Amino acid sequence: MPSPQRWGRALLLLSVALPGAESKIDRKSIVQQYNLKLNHSHPYSPVQVGNGNFAFGVDVTGLQTFLPHNTLSSWGWHNSSLPTTPNQTLPSDYTGVYWWTHDRLVNYAQPNPAQKEISQWMIANPHRINLGRVGLWFGGIAGGNVTEELLAGQNQVLDLWEGTITSSFSINGSEVQITTTASPETDTVAIEICSSLIKTAGLGVFFDFPYATGRNKFDAPFVGLFNATSNHTTALQTRDRGAQITHTLDATTYVADIAWKGYARISRLHEDEHKYILAASQNSERLAFTVTYAPRASNTSCTPEAVKRDAKAWWANYWSTGAFVSLPSASNSSANELQRRTILSQYLIAVNGAGKDPPQESGLVNNGWYGKFHLEMVFWHLTQWAIWDKWDLLNRSIGVYQRFLPTSYERAEKQGYDGARLGKMSDPTGRSAPGEINSVLIWQQPHPMYFAEMEYRSFPTEKTLKKWNDVLVGVADFMASYAFWNSTTNRYDLGPPMYPVSENTNPNATINPTFELAYWRFGLDVASKWQARQNQSIPESWTHVHDNLAPFPTEEDAYVTYEGIPDMWTTSEYTEDHPGLLGINGWLPPDSRVDPAVFNHTIEKVYETWNFTYSYGWDFPLFAITEARQGDAERAISQLLDVNNAFDEVGMPEGGTRVPTPYFPAAAGLLLAVGMMCGGWDGCDGPVWPVDWQVECEGFLRAM
Ligand SMILES: *[C@@H]1O[C@H](CO)[C@@H](O)[C@H](O)[C@H]1NC(C)=O
Ligand SMILES: *[C@@H]1O[C@H](CO)[C@@H](O)[C@H](O)[C@H]1NC(C)=O
Ligand SMILES: *[C@@H]1O[C@H](CO)[C@@H](O)[C@H](O)[C@H]1NC(C)=O
Ligand SMILES: *[C@@H]1O[C@H](CO)[C@@H](O)[C@H](O)[C@H]1NC(C)=O
Ligand SMILES: *[C@@H]1O[C@H](CO)[C@@H](O)[C@H](O)[C@H]1NC(C)=O
Ligand SMILES: *[C@@H]1O[C@H](CO)[C@@H](O)[C@H](O)[C@H]1NC(C)=O
Ligand SMILES: *[C@@H]1O[C@H](CO)[C@@H](O)[C@H](O)[C@H]1NC(C)=O
Ligand SMILES: *[C@@H]1O[C@H](CO)[C@@H](O)[C@H](O)[C@H]1NC(C)=O
Ligand SMILES: *[C@@H]1O[C@H](CO)[C@@H](O)[C@H](O)[C@H]1NC(C)=O
Ligand SMILES: *[C@@H]1O[C@H](CO)[C@@H](O)[C@H](O)[C@H]1NC(C)=O
Ligand SMILES: *[C@@H]1O[C@H](CO)[C@@H](O)[C@H](O)[C@H]1NC(C)=O
Ligand SMILES: *[C@@H]1O[C@H](CO)[C@@H](O)[C@H](O)[C@H]1NC(C)=O
């Protein structure tokens, strides 16, 4: 236990928000202090509106005029045609590969060198699609060829409290003002354009639709191909004050339903392209419409006013409920930057990371890993919702464990294990993409135990016990069955083959990684408690594995990544990437086997040897949580503000040297770290902030 003085409680003001109680913090003024105020398009990162299942990214015009920023959803996916190579024409032809696993051959879903085409197809399909582009159509202005350089007085504000972007500029002396809002309920964008140019120069909007190919693992910053026009079709159907454009890409079909106010008309620009122009047809200086993207046509059309009203109410409620932190931004530039990152991350995570499935690493901004989501990253994306007391948003996607349970049982059975083995790089059907790392990584398995236990701490009810029981039993059975009884040492080993969290070791040599040993014990412990709470007997195998797992591997008085790792601290490939071994005391509540002195020594060894320029994503929040639990708030903050952990001007967490921007585990991880520094954990009531910072925290839940 760190000494209480280092927590610097004296100057901290802690108020606990009671249900229905007024917030003591003036949340609105803090949130609006970080409203985006821009005067140019960001070449890479869009400004976004969205609702967790749908997001619309824009340039300086408030639309996708100059830059084809993306419109992504949780439901829009596409399969390319299957390969035509003989014997590789169907997913069922794919066989995976066999690797020796403790003297037996186990089938792993990895690319099969003898089945390259179908293996790659299963990696790249289905891929997430860009639903379409909506931009300003300049009519007769500058011969229709307006570039951003021709605009003057650009001024764009994203009002975070209301979820609306207001963009204004002038062309040739005429003012244009545009508001952009996404509905919190449907995948609708409401757009209102005011300008005399609508009347005098035919200013309107265009809609365009790209094809999807699955050719790029990272399809960033722009998703889809706008020039493969003969590979897909669109069809326009008009009605009074509205139209429906049906877009068909192979087996994928969806509609863009457009509903406008007043008199306007829509027409297709060229028969062989997918561009449609909407223009006001009377003497109007205003063009207001909604565009709703949906898998199928429906009759629920909405007005721009209703979308704006709903968004305003939703965002005000979002900011007003759950936890909130006020940092001393006026007097301290680090606090100001941390507050900026916190507020913008809260906004962006609600837009990009609160859908029906767990988010992909790049959210709904662009595509990483073909748009698929990773089950091991679920911890970093979603745990912050629990700490910030926003269970409704967590619950939107946490059912993924239940939904994927049947495919998880199949996976384990095919490999000769009991129970349910969770996959990794996933599409909404629960299929895990072939991959060497994908197939042998194991740290995603105990995540449901973490979420279940957090939920039970807040909602200790029968309903919670029931909700998680099947998942916990399935996963715990797998975890017990996966552990290998070593009759020489009389203990259970984890692996080989396996990849640890850091994915940088030889999988056939990796055995007993420190973090996974601790997490296995944590997971089995929660699963056992779950049975006890329901007066059910605890399977003996769970207890036996829990009690007899191999000890944490140490070398020279420090924990190491895995047992027998050669020259860990002097081999550069081992002193980079995720420092997962720190997770045994910080990320996880300290395992009873953790020796605090050895752990301290391990932290110092990591600091001495680690290549921080190669670190990314949640590494910095992990360091921060580790330091906070050590009672060192200064070091925790310096990790969150590390130069290699940058957030750009629109608040997107940068990918750094490894992955494209944004990489949202860094943003959600930041919220988790900040949340734990406010709410504390078992044995520390929190907050944990530097003594000279005046920090106000309200409504945070305590971590384990
Ligand atoms: C945007 O604002 C910055 C800072 O005020 C200024 O330097 C820059 O010239 C402006 N750019 C445009 C396109 O107006
Ligand atoms: C893609 O193909 C797979 C396998 O046939 C199927 O399960 C999935 O539903 C398809 N997805 C789409 C979006 O067509
Ligand atoms: C492809 O399948 C056919 C019929 O199932 C079989 O005769 C043939 O040997 C297979 N070819 C290869 C290259 O596996
Ligand atoms: C691991 O061992 C299997 C055989 O069981 C082998 O096919 C594979 O190439 C090995 N992987 C690595 C990364 O060495
Ligand atoms: C600006 O307006 C003037 C006069 O109306 C016109 O001659 C000129 O072409 C316009 N420029 C552009 C870029 O539209
Ligand atoms: C549009 O304007 C840009 C920049 O002024 C110019 O480079 C380009 O050639 C123009 N395109 C057309 C089709 O006129
Ligand atoms: C289509 O656009 C892509 C970029 O989006 C480009 O790489 C490609 O060369 C273009 N193809 C053709 C035929 O113009
Ligand atoms: C479009 O279809 C043609 C003809 O089937 C095909 O050759 C081409 O590769 C397709 N383009 C893309 C981008 O998939
Ligand atoms: C929409 O409503 C019209 C008139 O009520 C009806 O004819 C049509 O079938 C409906 N369409 C859908 C997709 O429900
Ligand atoms: C049992 O553990 C020892 C010590 O780690 C190891 O050398 C041996 O390979 C293990 N036995 C099996 C069958 O894995
Ligand atoms: C570990 O380090 C922390 C802070 O750095 C210190 O408070 C604690 O006493 C140390 N524990 C041991 C056992 O050295
Ligand atoms: C650390 O990582 C950076 C970025 O990937 C790399 O350029 C550099 O060579 C690495 N340094 C060492 C000592 O490995």
Side-chain angles (χ1 to χ4, degrees):
M1 287 290 291
S3 59
Q5 300 90 280
R6 299 195 65 186
W7 297 345
R9 283 182 178 171
L11 286 173
L12 292 164
L13 313 165
L14 173 68
S15 53
V16 178
L18 300 169
E22 285 292 301
S23 167
K24 291 204 177 135
I25 302 173
D26 181 357
R27 296 185 179 199
K28 187 172 180 180
S29 77
I30 294 174
V31 169
Q32 289 185 327
Q33 188 184 329
Y34 297 93
N35 281 350
L36 294 182
K37 297 187 181 84
L38 302 167
N39 66 0
H40 61 96
S41 296
H42 195 289
Y44 203 93
S45 297
V47 177
Q48 289 181 298
V49 290
N51 61 30
N53 279 304
F54 169 83
F56 184 76
V58 306
D59 64 21
V60 74
T61 63
L63 296 175
Q64 297 150 338
T65 305
F66 300 121
L67 294 171
H69 283 309
N70 308 304
T71 308
L72 301 185
S73 69
S74 51
W75 51 264
W77 296 79
H78 169 254
N79 281 331
S80 299
S81 54
L82 283 154
T84 51
T85 322
N87 297 356
Q88 296 191 44
T89 57
L90 289 172
S92 54
D93 292 337
Y94 165 77
T95 60
V97 302
Y98 288 86
W99 274 18
W100 287 105
T101 304
H102 290 293
D103 296 329
R104 65 189 183 95
L105 280 170
V106 167
N107 186 272
Y108 293 98
Q110 299 183 6
N112 185 332
Q115 300 184 311
K116 283 206 178 81
E117 288 80 6
I118 192 68
S119 298
Q120 182 54 35
W121 188 91
M122 293 179 75
I123 294 169
N125 290 281
H127 39 265
R128 204 183 291 254
I129 59 171
N130 180 4
L131 299 173
R133 177 176 178 193
V134 184
L136 281 180
W137 177 252
F138 290 104
I141 307 163
N145 185 19
V146 174
T147 56
E148 192 164 330
E149 292 70 48
L150 286 186
L151 308 188
Q154 298 94 307
N155 181 14
Q156 181 169 60
V157 177
L158 166 62
D159 187 327
L160 299 164
W161 192 266
E162 300 196 350
T164 285
I165 303 167
T166 304
S167 313
S168 59
F169 52 85
S170 59
I171 314 176
N172 212 14
S174 298
E175 179 94 0
V176 180
Q177 198 190 74
I178 300 173
T179 65
T180 315
T181 313
S183 163
E185 307 295 340
T186 59
D187 299 339
T188 302
V189 196
I191 295 163
E192 193 176 338
I193 306 170
C194 294
S195 176
S196 58
L197 292 170
I198 292 170
K199 186 165 73 181
T200 60
L203 181 72
V205 294
F206 70 83
F207 299 85
D208 201 355
F209 298 87
Y211 189 53
T213 67
R215 282 184 191 159
N216 303 320
K217 171 175 163 182
F218 294 123
D219 224 3
F222 308 124
V223 181
L225 272 186
F226 286 91
N227 58 9
T229 50
S230 60
N231 297 60
H232 57 131
T233 63
T234 49
L236 175 70
Q237 200 184 358
T238 57
R239 61 171 187 270
D240 182 35
R241 294 176 197 201
Q244 225 165 60
I245 297 171
T246 304
H247 185 200
T248 303
L249 318 75
D250 306 299
T252 298
T253 296
Y254 65 93
V255 297
D257 187 287
I258 304 158
W260 56 82
K261 311 271 289 182
Y263 298 98
R265 69 195 152 74
I266 190 164
S267 58
R268 190 170 190 158
L269 193 60
H270 298 296
E271 234 5 86
D272 53 356
E273 288 180 5
H274 303 296
K275 216 170 191 178
Y276 296 83
I277 311 300
L278 175 68
S281 60
Q282 297 259 322
N283 279 345
S284 178
E285 299 198 342
R286 176 168 178 266
L287 178 57
F289 63 97
T290 59
V291 50
T292 301
Y293 297 89
R296 58 197 65 82
S298 85
N299 271 349
T300 51
S301 64
C302 45
T303 63
E305 291 76 14
V307 170
K308 265 195 192 171
R309 188 190 59 224
D310 293 351
K312 190 171 173 176
W314 193 91
W315 284 102
N317 181 64
Y318 174 72
W319 293 113
S320 305
T321 54
F324 201 85
V325 61
S326 167
L327 299 171
S329 58
S331 58
N332 179 320
S333 62
S334 294
N336 183 44
E337 176 58 12
L338 203 48
Q339 184 84 65
R340 181 186 83 92
R341 292 179 182 203
T342 301
I343 297 290
L344 292 177
S345 293
Q346 284 182 264
Y347 179 80
L348 289 171
I349 294 298
V351 169
N352 292 283
K356 70 174 185 60
D357 292 316
Q360 67 165 326
E361 269 58 284
S362 54
L364 299 170
V365 175
N366 56 46
N367 274 355
W369 290 271
Y370 307 99
K372 299 186 182 188
F373 51 92
H374 290 118
L375 290 189
E376 85 283 15
M377 294 312 301
V378 167
F379 176 89
W380 289 103
H381 283 293
L382 299 185
T383 307
Q384 56 84 23
W385 292 127
I387 300 291
W388 286 69
D389 200 13
K390 290 176 185 284
W391 295 93
D392 50 338
L393 295 173
L394 175 64
N395 280 328
R396 285 184 180 179
S397 63
I398 205 69
V400 72
Y401 292 116
Q402 187 72 42
R403 188 149 61 86
F404 287 4
L405 202 52
T407 52
S408 301
Y409 267 103
E410 279 168 30
R411 185 175 296 110
E413 191 185 0
K414 195 169 173 192
Q415 298 186 323
Y417 294 113
D418 296 339
R421 180 173 197 163
L422 299 170
K424 187 191 181 280
M425 175 177 156
S426 304
D427 66 59
T429 68
R431 182 163 71 66
S432 188
E436 185 178 308
I437 291 170
N438 296 355
S439 66
V440 299
L441 204 70
I442 65 168
W443 64 280
Q444 70 271 41
Q445 306 302 330
H447 290 348
M449 282 78 169
Y450 196 101
F451 288 110
E453 191 64 14
M454 282 304 292
E455 185 165 342
Y456 191 74
R457 289 154 64 94
S458 284
F459 307 98
T461 64
E462 282 297 309
K463 196 174 153 211
T464 305
L465 291 170
K466 277 219 174 67
K467 171 177 169 181
W468 285 98
N469 188 63
D470 292 353
V471 170
L472 265 48
V473 167
V475 174
D477 279 343
F478 166 72
M479 287 169 59
S481 154
Y482 176 87
F484 175 79
W485 177 251
N486 183 324
S487 53
T488 311
T489 54
N490 284 341
R491 59 174 209 197
Y492 287 95
D493 292 331
L494 298 183
M498 63 161 296
Y499 275 104
V501 167
S502 53
E503 301 179 358
N504 58 355
T505 63
N506 174 350
N508 289 326
T510 303
I511 181 168
N512 295 325
T514 295
F515 177 73
E516 283 77 357
L517 287 171
Y519 210 11
W520 235 243
R521 280 166 53 81
F522 170 87
L524 290 170
D525 190 42
V526 170
S528 301
K529 280 196 228 157
W530 216 261
Q531 295 314 302
R533 285 172 187 148
Q534 298 173 97
N535 297 316
Q536 299 289 323
S537 60
I538 299 163
E540 262 174 49
S541 61
W542 299 2
T543 312
H544 203 246
V545 171
H546 175 273
D547 293 348
N548 294 286
L549 269 174
F552 297 139
T554 55
E555 211 181 90
E556 292 174 25
D557 234 14
Y559 296 119
V560 289
T561 296
Y562 72 85
E563 182 181 318
I565 186 170
D567 304 320
M568 155 108 192
W569 302 110
T570 51
T571 306
S572 61
E573 66 193 282
Y574 297 142
T575 51
E576 62 181 26
D577 212 290
H578 308 307
L581 76 174
L582 295 181
I584 63 174
N585 181 10
W587 167 356
L588 301 183
D591 185 288
S592 59
R593 296 173 166 192
V594 171
D595 177 329
V598 176
F599 189 72
N600 279 11
H601 192 219
T602 308
I603 296 179
E604 296 318 317
K605 293 287 270 188
V606 170
Y607 271 108
E608 279 165 30
T609 60
W610 222 255
N611 185 350
F612 282 92
T613 52
Y614 201 59
S615 292
Y616 72 111
W618 50 270
D619 296 3
F620 299 98
L622 168 60
F623 271 108
I625 293 168
T626 309
E627 292 296 2
R629 234 189 252 248
Q630 294 289 107
D632 196 332
E634 280 86 0
R635 254 184 165 182
I637 288 164
S638 68
Q639 284 294 340
L640 293 177
L641 297 175
D642 190 275
V643 291
N644 299 297
N645 186 32
F647 285 61
D648 70 19
E649 69 176 321
V650 305
M652 299 285 178
E654 293 180 17
T657 56
R658 309 280 296 277
V659 293
T661 296
Y663 190 79
F664 280 116
L670 173 105
L671 295 180
L672 175 62
V674 167
M676 284 177 71
M677 290 169 74
C678 278
W681 44 86
D682 291 348
C684 162
D685 288 338
V688 182
W689 289 96
V691 283
D692 55 347
W693 284 33
Q694 295 267 344
V695 176
E696 279 185 272
C697 299
E698 59 186 21
F700 288 94
L701 300 190
R702 187 191 291 167
M704 281 180 265

